[in-house]
Amino acid sequence: MSVIVTAFDQGELVAEAVESALDQTRVPDAVIVVDDGSTDAGSVAVIERLQEDARVRVLRQPNRGVGAARNAGIAAAAGTDVVAVLDGDDRLAPTFLERTVAVLEDDPGARAASSWLHAHGVIDAVVRPGGGSAVDFLHRNACPATAVVRRDAWRACGGYDEDMRSGFEDWDFFLSLVGDGGHVTVVPEPLVEYRTAPASANVRSMDSRLELYGRLVDKHRDVFERHLREVLLALEARAIDAAGRWEDLVAADPSLPVGEVTYGDGGMAAAVRIAVRRG
């Protein structure tokens, strides 16, 4: 079992990520750091320091994006059956590998495993992705980027798409991983320390969410077509839930404007309910 840590201009955070990988109750056979062309002097110094640690192997490449960095690290982990992928600004709780690798050992149908997240930084929250089969990944990403993956399943699905450098590369990978069967299991414990920041790639990708989601639909069209009914119902259920939360907030605070009353999407009925609840 190997842990792949990807790094790009993340300074001392990469050293923290590596330390969390080394400090596991189930110790990995190797920790491979892939430096994706860091240029910041402090970050380069951290990578050079890590090269002096006999427990760590460092690969360096020109900047090609996180997908290419992960593929390079996994390819370099020859002879291992399972690889864990970890971003350089995140950390693993000590039992992450123990709990997730056990899932793969006990469940042959699981092609990858991860856990809930403890989000810290800008927010402090436990985030609970659900995992699942292909249909569960068609309307939202159901697994964190940090995950343990069967190396033969990574190879069979073609790995990470190295052309996806604007976001959603994790979502795309999981769709490729389980598109023809199998599933991803998420351990119901917050074993990934996920750092949140305003300028993070995850936050920036939301500005292009529709475009990026369209690329997923185009690329995985056969899977979407097979599960069209489930996808549409899941998207509608999410819209209903979001609208219900908005309705509760507006109904509870008369100072908040209702805004334009929309038609055909439940907006008019919501406006009526809000008016009644406000008295």
Side-chain angles (χ1 to χ4, degrees):
M1 178 181 57
S2 298
V3 178
I4 313 301
V5 181
T6 56
F8 175 69
D9 283 348
Q10 291 159 317
E12 288 291 340
L13 298 179
V14 177
E16 293 182 21
V18 169
E19 192 61 34
S20 77
L22 293 169
D23 191 29
Q24 293 289 299
T25 55
R26 182 163 184 165
V27 181
D29 298 298
V31 174
I32 301 173
V33 176
V34 184
D35 177 41
D36 189 36
S38 292
T39 57
D40 169 70
S43 298
V44 171
V46 170
I47 298 299
E48 291 175 347
R49 190 174 78 235
L50 289 171
Q51 284 184 297
E52 299 173 359
D53 190 329
R55 301 170 298 172
V56 179
R57 178 183 176 190
V58 174
L59 304 178
R60 306 182 80 165
Q61 64 181 33
N63 182 257
R64 294 166 49 205
V66 67
R70 289 172 182 158
N71 284 338
I74 297 172
T80 57
D81 298 323
V82 174
V83 290
V85 176
L86 174 63
D87 287 341
D89 55 352
D90 295 330
R91 299 189 302 262
L92 304 177
T95 57
F96 176 83
L97 292 181
E98 177 184 341
R99 299 283 284 115
T100 52
V101 174
V103 167
L104 299 187
E105 291 175 340
D106 294 340
D107 183 358
R111 297 183 178 180
S114 187
S115 74
W116 289 351
L117 306 168
H118 172 215
H120 62 101
V122 175
I123 63 173
D124 185 0
V126 173
V127 184
R128 298 173 173 84
S133 59
V135 68
D136 298 296
F137 283 86
L138 293 175
H139 60 98
R140 49 92 171 98
N141 190 5
C143 182
T146 296
V148 294
V149 181
R150 297 188 192 277
R151 196 165 176 271
D152 58 354
W154 162 81
R155 185 184 301 108
C157 79
Y160 290 87
D161 186 339
E162 298 183 9
D163 291 329
M164 294 196 72
R165 299 189 60 173
S166 300
F168 287 20
E169 66 283 337
D170 309 311
W171 192 353
D172 171 72
F173 171 70
F174 290 123
L175 274 172
S176 298
L177 192 70
V178 299
D180 64 347
H183 55 271
V184 175
T185 297
V186 172
V187 176
E189 301 173 42
L191 303 178
V192 177
E193 294 286 332
Y194 181 81
R195 189 178 304 275
T196 58
S200 71
N202 181 57
V203 173
R204 293 198 308 272
S205 69
M206 293 302 103
D207 295 335
S208 306
R209 184 176 178 86
L210 284 180
E211 176 188 350
L212 293 171
Y213 187 58
R215 288 184 62 182
L216 293 183
V217 174
D218 292 339
K219 181 177 178 180
H220 303 279
R221 182 175 295 274
D222 58 334
V223 185
F224 277 90
E225 288 179 348
R226 286 202 305 271
H227 300 286
L228 180 61
R229 184 176 187 275
E230 296 102 313
V231 174
L232 292 176
L233 288 176
L235 288 171
E236 183 66 11
R238 287 178 58 197
I240 290 170
D241 179 67
R245 294 170 185 263
W246 165 82
E247 183 178 325
D248 290 340
L249 288 172
V250 175
D253 187 350
S255 69
L256 295 175
V258 174
E260 180 181 356
V261 178
T262 58
Y263 181 81
D265 59 357
M268 189 161 62
V272 171
R273 289 192 297 269
I274 290 170
V276 171
R277 291 169 68 180
R278 283 180 172 181

